[in-house]
Amino acid sequence: MLRKSLDENIEKLKNEMLLMGSQVEEAIEKSIQSLKEQDVELAKQVMEDDDKIDEYELELEELCTRLIATQQPVAGDLRTIIVISKLATDLERIGDHASNIAKMVINIGDEPLIKPLIDIPRMTDIVTNRLKESLKAFVNLDTELADEIARQDEEVDLLDEQILRELLTFMIEDPKTIRQAMSLIFISRFLERIGDHATNICERVIYMATGDWDVSY
Amino acid sequence: MLRKSLDENIEKLKNEMLLMGSQVEEAIEKSIQSLKEQDVELAKQVMEDDDKIDEYELELEELCTRLIATQQPVAGDLRTIIVISKLATDLERIGDHASNIAKMVINIGDEPLIKPLIDIPRMTDIVTNRLKESLKAFVNLDTELADEIARQDEEVDLLDEQILRELLTFMIEDPKTIRQAMSLIFISRFLERIGDHATNICERVIYMATGDWDVSY
């Protein structure tokens, strides 16, 4: 009876975490949409919505701590709960990065973009897909998927590097582009960090499944 | 008897965490020393030493999980152990930022610095002091200190903003400074993030002491 209740509670925790995950994905997508459309109002909304993501983390923390305290899970269940509490922190940080992107969009304002956005939306697609898949790997305890997604981190790093190099040439050629180029470089860097968190999530999934922390990408 | 053993184990965990903290402080200081002295070899060493910090996190994670599983702590003890496992993640991320700073130092190489370093060392002093004090607040469960240190985050943010503005003027005046100025801006940003982690640690101390997650700075 107690056993069943623990399973149910862990299921509930996982669902809460997935809900938090969708909010975070939405925040990333909206932040980049606000960049593409130079929609300062949407960017402001992303920043405001970040409070809800922060609250989600606290709520999940509380649920995890209470579950450990009241049901004293062991082995795999305990590991799962601890991992969920860590994933909540990763998701909260990803939310912060989406909010940071929105802040840069507000900095850019309605000044015409110095170049068409190609790599940043591409990077966003890769990063949000990696986040989705990493959470899927978590729910299905799919270590193969986790391993595959973790390895895609390099692609994001290369894109970030490419964006930096390209924008540097703009800055050097025309100092008037410096401020905006800086904002775009920061946005690329925030996306790269979101990618890092997706990698973290994958690593935690592997730990949860194998108890083996010794994985690094 | 079991009770005493749990206290002893928590004490051991705290000490391990403090040792990790000193390694991380050293990494920050060495990374900025490598910048001041443009010592690429030292920067490389900081990057290599980061592996040890990563291992520390895994070791602490394992100790925390094992302690929860074998001794089934409740209430305050459970909260302390969970907080230690979270602090280990903050410390590991701070180590990553020190390593990122070192990477920028390597990028700059032996190219003469575009300006004397004033604000970055100042920011480093504030940030490492905040980190030390936040860990002290944790060990002594000193919520007043934690509260005070958390509030100092704004000072670091202002310095980061000031560094950005100053370097932007250099970049605009002389495009040849752009690459180095970018590296310095990133270094300032990494220090600012380290400051954020010190704030996280303070918030967790307050949570640990009060069970109240509802603190934000």
Side-chain angles (χ1 to χ4, degrees):
Chain A
M1 204 39 196
L2 187 70
R3 178 70 215 165
K4 193 183 167 197
S5 161
L6 179 60
D7 283 348
E8 279 172 0
N9 280 317
I10 289 178
E11 214 46 47
K12 199 183 141 201
L13 259 184
K14 282 189 185 174
N15 287 334
E16 283 293 311
M17 216 228 29
L18 286 178
L19 281 175
M20 183 179 179
S22 340
Q23 290 221 354
V24 166
E25 283 160 24
E26 205 184 307
I28 304 169
E29 279 157 7
K30 275 190 183 165
S31 71
I32 297 299
Q33 192 194 336
S34 77
L35 172 67
K36 284 189 209 163
E37 301 172 0
Q38 297 198 268
D39 184 342
V40 169
E41 287 311 309
L42 183 59
K44 281 184 190 159
Q45 196 197 311
V46 171
M47 290 184 76
E48 276 164 25
D49 288 351
D50 193 43
D51 286 347
K52 285 181 214 153
I53 293 173
D54 291 353
E55 274 166 32
Y56 244 115
E57 187 200 7
L58 304 184
E59 199 188 299
L60 272 169
E61 295 268 357
E62 264 309 306
L63 284 173
C64 289
T65 311
R66 212 174 301 145
L67 204 53
I68 295 173
T70 57
Q71 306 217 329
Q72 312 202 318
V74 290
D77 288 337
L78 175 61
R79 234 188 268 158
T80 303
I81 298 169
I82 291 179
V83 168
I84 291 176
S85 116
K86 298 243 168 188
L87 295 198
T89 303
D90 278 305
L91 290 175
E92 189 269 331
R93 297 271 163 84
I94 295 177
D96 283 347
H97 293 314
S99 182
N100 287 334
I101 291 172
K103 203 174 159 189
M104 293 295 141
V105 172
I106 294 169
N107 282 352
I108 295 174
D110 57 6
E111 185 191 299
L113 293 181
I114 54 178
K115 67 175 287 293
L117 298 171
I118 298 161
D119 286 334
I120 287 179
R122 214 171 114 207
M123 202 171 167
T124 309
D125 288 345
I126 298 174
V127 156
T128 47
N129 183 59
R130 290 187 69 225
L131 176 60
K132 265 182 205 143
E133 293 294 299
S134 70
L135 294 177
K136 201 201 264 176
F138 164 76
V139 170
N140 301 329
L141 212 57
D142 184 341
T143 53
E144 250 179 76
L145 180 61
D147 191 67
E148 187 194 319
I149 299 304
R151 283 176 205 284
Q152 290 171 6
D153 198 33
E154 212 183 328
E155 198 180 343
V156 177
D157 288 350
L158 289 174
L159 267 174
D160 176 48
E161 196 63 35
Q162 185 176 312
I163 289 169
L164 174 64
R165 276 171 207 281
E166 193 188 5
L167 288 168
L168 275 176
T169 62
F170 275 86
M171 291 160 84
I172 290 167
E173 275 168 30
D174 180 5
K176 281 198 297 299
T177 65
I178 288 180
R179 274 167 209 278
Q180 190 185 113
M182 287 288 308
S183 295
L184 294 172
I185 287 169
F186 277 129
I187 288 173
S188 165
R189 201 44 64 106
F190 291 134
L191 287 171
E192 186 262 338
R193 299 210 147 255
I194 292 174
D196 282 348
H197 283 288
T199 308
N200 282 346
I201 293 174
C202 292
E203 286 177 2
R204 295 199 191 282
V205 171
I206 295 171
Y207 162 70
M208 191 168 72
T210 63
D212 182 5
W213 261 124
D214 196 15
V215 281
S216 50
Y217 294 90
Chain B
M1 205 39 196
L2 188 69
R3 179 67 217 167
K4 192 182 170 197
S5 162
L6 178 60
D7 283 348
E8 277 171 2
N9 279 317
I10 289 178
E11 213 45 48
K12 199 183 140 201
L13 260 184
K14 282 189 185 175
N15 287 334
E16 283 294 310
M17 215 227 32
L18 287 179
L19 281 175
M20 184 178 178
S22 341
Q23 290 220 355
V24 166
E25 284 160 23
E26 204 185 307
I28 304 169
E29 279 158 7
K30 274 189 183 167
S31 71
I32 297 300
Q33 192 195 334
S34 77
L35 171 66
K36 283 189 210 162
E37 301 171 2
Q38 297 198 269
D39 184 341
V40 169
E41 288 310 310
L42 183 60
K44 281 183 191 160
Q45 197 198 311
V46 171
M47 289 184 77
E48 276 164 25
D49 288 350
D50 193 44
D51 286 347
K52 286 181 215 154
I53 293 172
D54 291 353
E55 274 165 33
Y56 244 117
E57 187 200 7
L58 303 184
E59 198 189 298
L60 273 169
E61 295 268 357
E62 265 309 305
L63 284 173
C64 289
T65 310
R66 213 174 299 143
L67 204 53
I68 295 173
T70 57
Q71 307 217 329
Q72 312 202 321
V74 291
D77 288 336
L78 176 60
R79 234 189 269 158
T80 303
I81 298 169
I82 291 178
V83 167
I84 290 176
S85 119
K86 298 243 167 190
L87 294 199
T89 303
D90 279 305
L91 290 175
E92 189 269 332
R93 297 271 163 83
I94 295 177
D96 283 348
H97 293 314
S99 181
N100 287 334
I101 291 171
K103 204 174 158 189
M104 292 295 141
V105 172
I106 295 169
N107 281 352
I108 295 173
D110 56 7
E111 185 190 298
L113 293 181
I114 55 178
K115 68 174 285 293
L117 298 172
I118 298 161
D119 287 334
I120 286 179
R122 212 171 116 207
M123 202 171 166
T124 309
D125 288 345
I126 298 174
V127 157
T128 47
N129 182 58
R130 290 187 68 224
L131 176 59
K132 266 182 206 143
E133 293 294 299
S134 70
L135 293 177
K136 201 201 264 178
F138 163 75
V139 171
N140 301 330
L141 214 56
D142 184 341
T143 53
E144 249 179 75
L145 180 62
D147 192 68
E148 187 194 320
I149 300 302
R151 283 176 206 284
Q152 290 170 6
D153 198 34
E154 213 184 329
E155 198 181 344
V156 177
D157 288 350
L158 288 175
L159 267 174
D160 176 49
E161 197 63 36
Q162 186 176 312
I163 290 169
L164 174 65
R165 276 172 207 279
E166 192 187 6
L167 288 168
L168 275 176
T169 62
F170 275 86
M171 291 160 84
I172 290 168
E173 275 168 29
D174 179 5
K176 281 197 298 297
T177 65
I178 288 180
R179 275 167 209 277
Q180 189 185 114
M182 287 289 307
S183 295
L184 294 172
I185 288 169
F186 277 130
I187 289 173
S188 164
R189 201 45 64 105
F190 292 133
L191 287 171
E192 186 263 336
R193 298 208 149 256
I194 293 174
D196 282 348
H197 283 288
T199 308
N200 282 346
I201 293 173
C202 292
E203 286 177 3
R204 294 199 192 283
V205 171
I206 295 170
Y207 162 69
M208 191 170 72
T210 62
D212 182 6
W213 261 125
D214 196 14
V215 279
S216 51
Y217 295 92

